[in-house]
Amino acid sequence: MKATVVGSYPKIPNRPRPARLRNAISKLDRGEIAKAELAQVADEVTIEVLEEQAQAGLDLVTDGHIRWEDEQTYLARQLTGISINGLIRWFDTNMYFRQPVIEGDVTWQRPITVRDYAFAVEHSAKPVKPVLTGPYTLARLSIDNHYNNNEALALAFAEALNREAKALQEAGATLIQFNEPAILKQKDDIASFAKICERLVDGLTAETSLYLYFGDVEGIYAEIQQLPFDLIGLDLVMGAANAELLAGATFKKKLGLGIIDARNTRLETPDQIAKQIRRLSDGIDPDSVHVSPSAGLEFLPREVAQEKLRLLAEGVRKAEGVLV
Amino acid sequence: MTKGLITTTVGSFPKPPYLQQARNRFAAGKLPREELDELELQATREVIALQEEIGIDILVDGEMARGDMVVFFAEHLEGMEVGGLVRSYGNRYYHKPVVKGPVRWTEPMTVEMWKYAQSLTDKPVKGMLTGPYTMVEWSFLEGYDDFRTAVLEMARAVNYEALELNRAGATFIQIDEPALSTRMEDIELAIEAMAIATEGLTATTATHVCYGDFVSAYPRFFDMPVKQFDMEMANSSHELVDLLKTKGFPEDKEIAWGVVDVHSHKIESVDDVVAEIKRGLEVLPPERLYIDPDCGLKTRTWDESADKLRVIVRGVAQVKSELGIE
């Protein structure tokens, strides 16, 4: 069993610890430092975040997306055919992203996250997984003035991300994760989504995972198990119905259990977590189970995020019988 | 002559730079509370004077003492705390509040500032409150097992504050629920909570909800127990306007039609505003149609806010003279 995360991690700690990244970005905005200096701070904060995840007891970590301004634009800015528009709320969270506007053919030009991945691997005590926003979510949250067709746009994103995933694979990634919250808001699109996913993973030899959060998979439970990923991650907090679905029929793939609430500071206990893992993963090989928060952790203050991960790891060890 | 097309604003105004600096210095412990208080009053005088000068009909105090619309109340209500830093976008962070335990109203939070603003003008000043659904939805929830119970108890606290405003003489009280816009599936809970929040009020009640899926929540949305719906119409779909035109809107209720986009730096032309007002007049008679910006002005600069309000007043004047409205 693996204790892991879904992607993002809070970028700055609370007082009295210094908000180094925030201060560096302010200084860059005021012209007091150069971009290289900000990049240096982002690297150092990434190392801190890797260490915090390892200290919490995770088995598989991410770089925390410390350099990502939001889940859409970090990727979109590097692709062709896209300009970046104003702020808009990200799903029903209280966090905003800048909306990409599609103005021409979307194509991959150069690696976007490979250097970040290699840097994280070099500085992490634990295995690292790269996490990318998936093509469907990138397409849905853009304004499309060019393709005028969501599937065509998503297929273009899928092609571009396929190139990115191959570059990550080349750099040594053995598990590549895609986050696709948007499909849970448009379940009618599942057939189109399957086609987009085929394009996304075409020719990849690394393992792949798909994380679906901010809702349940009721109505598409059979379909998601047919998708071309090795592991599917589900949200058991905002998708309470997922628990019943899992109880109803054994899951056919490796399973990601998002059971810690990534959007609330209320702390779960290791005993609750262990009990929930045992119930939800009944009949599944423990090696095939990844346990995580329900979504990325940027919705929480940094200290709460780390404490939640510590409790999560302890719960996983209890579920495995390593701890009692 | 028909009356109508009363102008107002959604609530917040931008803080003048001196006040923003003072707030930062206060947060860093470098400015005494009394000095900040004095500057908040100064800014309030300026906000009232600006609205008077432009010719807005129903004024607001501009919320010069409030940072975030949820945090301000969280600092005063029993059972709420201000939590750790969470990023909202770019390099912007805020202290997201936490509902820690039973939420209780203990003292008036907005009444002194409302009274002060009202003392500066003969025009009515709106009492402005954050709604119970938004207060809970935009906070962390630790002290309740159940979201619904937390929202309903919050509604009671909001009601106490609204009653204080009512008692102080506010004739117009607006209770905003922007969080509902991304959660229209919670409309039943929001209605139940608003009924508690507005209980016993004699003032005219209103609510502002940011742009959301009103089409799917139609017509239930308009059962929210308030007199006036303050809505973002500048960017609204034809679908919604068509729905209001063909299927109707409750005859005892009003809309404050947001005619300029506060999320854009661009100042609309008088023609844009006139066209938007006329779209509103296709749905409602002028007595029940109020005209305002489509959201709080606090993200705009002072000058942009003034320009957007001026264009509204000009557009309204043009439509009034064209149609013979007083």
Side-chain angles (χ1 to χ4, degrees), chain A:
Chain A
M1 219 171 269
K2 284 189 166 61
T4 187
V5 282
V6 174
S8 66
Y9 195 83
K11 293 176 177 27
I12 64 168
N14 282 275
R15 287 189 193 99
R17 295 162 76 196
R20 299 184 57 215
L21 190 69
R22 185 188 196 183
N23 297 340
I25 293 173
S26 297
K27 282 183 187 163
L28 180 80
D29 290 346
R30 292 197 299 265
E32 293 167 18
I33 62 170
K35 272 192 173 170
E37 206 169 321
L38 173 62
Q40 174 68 31
V41 173
D43 280 352
E44 287 165 19
V45 172
T46 300
I47 293 171
E48 272 172 32
V49 163
L50 290 164
E51 283 169 357
E52 284 186 22
Q53 293 173 83
Q55 277 165 16
L58 293 192
D59 306 303
L60 179 62
V61 302
T62 70
D63 71 355
H65 286 178
I66 294 306
R67 302 171 187 87
W68 292 42
E69 184 187 323
D70 60 59
E71 299 288 309
Q72 314 300 121
T73 53
Y74 191 73
L75 300 173
R77 279 180 202 278
Q78 303 295 324
L79 302 172
T80 66
I82 303 177
S83 68
I84 304 296
N85 213 7
L87 291 164
I88 181 168
R89 192 178 291 282
W90 200 63
F91 296 95
D92 63 344
T93 71
N94 217 350
M95 199 173 283
Y96 291 75
F97 70 99
R98 289 194 188 277
Q99 195 169 28
V101 182
I102 312 304
E103 290 172 338
D105 285 348
V106 171
T107 57
W108 185 87
Q109 296 171 286
R110 65 184 84 85
I112 305 166
T113 60
V114 171
R115 189 262 168 198
D116 301 346
Y117 170 71
F119 180 86
V121 169
E122 192 188 332
H123 293 92
S124 177
K126 298 287 179 179
V128 177
K129 62 176 176 183
V131 176
L132 303 173
T133 307
Y136 185 85
T137 300
L138 284 171
R140 273 282 168 217
L141 270 50
S142 297
I143 297 171
D144 178 10
N145 292 336
H146 179 67
Y147 293 88
N148 298 315
N149 175 314
N150 188 66
E151 185 176 291
L153 173 59
L155 284 169
F157 272 122
E159 180 65 37
L161 291 176
N162 179 266
R163 301 273 302 270
E164 182 69 16
K166 281 177 178 158
L168 284 164
Q169 192 174 275
E170 196 86 358
T174 53
L175 169 64
I176 300 169
Q177 180 175 317
F178 301 96
N179 290 347
E180 285 283 22
I183 186 62
L184 298 187
K185 309 289 169 200
Q186 305 275 340
K187 289 177 185 171
D188 292 352
D189 259 1
I190 191 69
S192 171
F193 184 71
K195 200 165 137 190
I196 294 156
C197 291
E198 292 292 345
R199 176 78 59 92
L200 176 65
V201 302
D202 185 41
L204 291 181
T205 53
E207 277 202 299
T208 54
S209 59
L210 174 76
Y211 273 69
L212 304 172
Y213 47 86
F214 297 163
D216 62 56
V217 295
E218 197 165 13
I220 55 171
Y221 188 61
E223 288 86 346
I224 63 160
Q225 295 179 64
Q226 304 296 326
L227 294 172
F229 302 94
D230 301 287
L231 182 147
I232 307 280
L234 302 177
D235 179 345
L236 278 305
V237 178
M238 286 185 73
N242 286 338
E244 290 153 47
L245 293 168
L246 286 169
T250 305
F251 205 68
K252 293 187 192 118
K253 290 180 182 287
K254 291 187 178 182
L255 177 62
L257 293 173
I259 57 175
I260 295 277
D261 192 341
R263 291 176 58 173
N264 196 6
T265 48
R266 190 180 199 174
L267 298 176
E268 294 81 0
T269 69
D271 284 329
Q272 280 171 354
I273 296 164
K275 204 170 142 195
Q276 212 182 347
I277 296 170
R278 286 200 203 97
R279 187 162 45 81
L280 293 165
S281 65
D282 191 32
I284 301 174
D285 172 11
D287 286 342
S288 299
V289 177
H290 288 203
V291 186
S292 70
S294 54
L297 289 167
E298 253 213 291
F299 310 106
L300 294 172
R302 174 97 156 245
E303 292 72 16
V304 178
Q306 193 185 8
E307 178 63 4
K308 286 211 169 207
L309 291 182
R310 193 184 67 74
L311 298 169
L312 170 77
E314 199 178 321
V316 169
R317 299 290 91 92
K318 281 187 182 236
E320 289 178 319
V322 176
L323 280 178
V324 283

Side-chain angles (χ1 to χ4, degrees), chain B residues 28-274:
Chain B
K30 291 175 188 159
L31 186 80
R33 176 80 243 182
E34 308 78 62
E35 284 184 38
L36 179 62
D37 287 347
E38 198 40 61
L39 293 172
E40 286 169 354
L41 295 180
Q42 181 187 330
T44 304
R45 290 194 293 275
E46 291 168 10
V47 168
I48 294 290
L50 179 71
Q51 295 171 91
E52 290 258 26
E53 179 232 309
I54 293 174
I56 299 293
D57 301 315
I58 299 179
L59 311 194
V60 294
D61 66 24
E63 302 173 16
M64 293 298 118
R66 307 184 200 178
D68 176 88
M69 66 185 287
V70 176
V71 175
F72 172 79
F73 292 99
E75 285 169 344
H76 293 88
L77 287 170
E78 189 180 302
M80 289 200 81
E81 277 180 15
V82 175
L85 286 167
V86 176
R87 200 164 65 97
S88 53
Y89 63 88
N91 207 27
R92 292 286 288 271
Y93 293 77
Y94 73 111
H95 287 277
K96 184 163 174 170
V98 188
V99 178
K100 280 278 186 186
V103 172
R104 301 285 180 261
W105 180 93
T106 57
E107 54 177 3
M109 299 171 276
T110 64
V111 176
E112 279 311 307
M113 187 58 100
W114 177 84
K115 277 188 187 164
Y116 181 70
Q118 186 63 80
S119 76
L120 301 169
T121 177
D122 293 332
K123 291 180 170 177
V125 176
K126 278 200 267 195
M128 296 296 310
L129 300 175
T130 303
Y133 182 83
T134 298
M135 283 295 301
V136 178
E137 169 57 27
W138 284 359
S139 301
F140 292 123
L141 183 56
E142 295 184 13
Y144 290 82
D145 289 331
D146 173 38
F147 180 73
R148 184 186 140 78
T149 308
V151 171
L152 296 180
E153 291 198 6
M154 183 69 75
R156 187 54 65 194
V158 173
N159 179 242
Y160 284 134
E161 184 69 15
L163 286 169
E164 291 284 340
L165 282 167
N166 202 123
R167 199 167 301 136
T171 53
F172 211 105
I173 296 174
Q174 183 169 317
I175 302 176
D176 291 343
E177 287 289 19
L180 190 59
S181 60
T182 53
R183 288 282 188 89
M184 279 298 172
E185 65 272 22
D186 279 344
I187 185 68
E188 296 303 327
L189 175 59
I191 288 173
E192 196 180 342
M194 188 62 85
I196 295 170
T198 55
E199 213 175 274
L201 298 181
T202 54
T204 300
T205 52
T207 190
H208 171 75
V209 176
C210 298
Y211 185 67
D213 187 6
F214 298 116
V215 172
S216 78
Y218 181 91
R220 185 62 174 143
F221 177 71
F222 296 111
D223 290 337
M224 287 271 274
V226 293
K227 173 87 173 169
Q228 183 175 110
F229 294 88
D230 184 8
M231 294 172 68
E232 285 190 26
M233 299 304 282
N235 293 314
S236 75
S237 63
H238 288 292
E239 210 182 344
L240 176 62
V241 177
D242 287 346
L243 198 60
L244 291 171
K245 267 197 295 196
T246 55
K247 298 268 176 76
F249 175 77
E251 286 197 356
D252 56 341
K253 296 198 176 185
E254 305 166 341
I255 291 182
W257 201 280
V259 296
V260 297
D261 182 358
V262 306
H263 303 292
S264 160
H265 295 284
K266 190 179 145 270
I267 308 299
E268 287 80 354
S269 68
V270 174
D271 287 349
D272 291 339
V273 170
V274 166

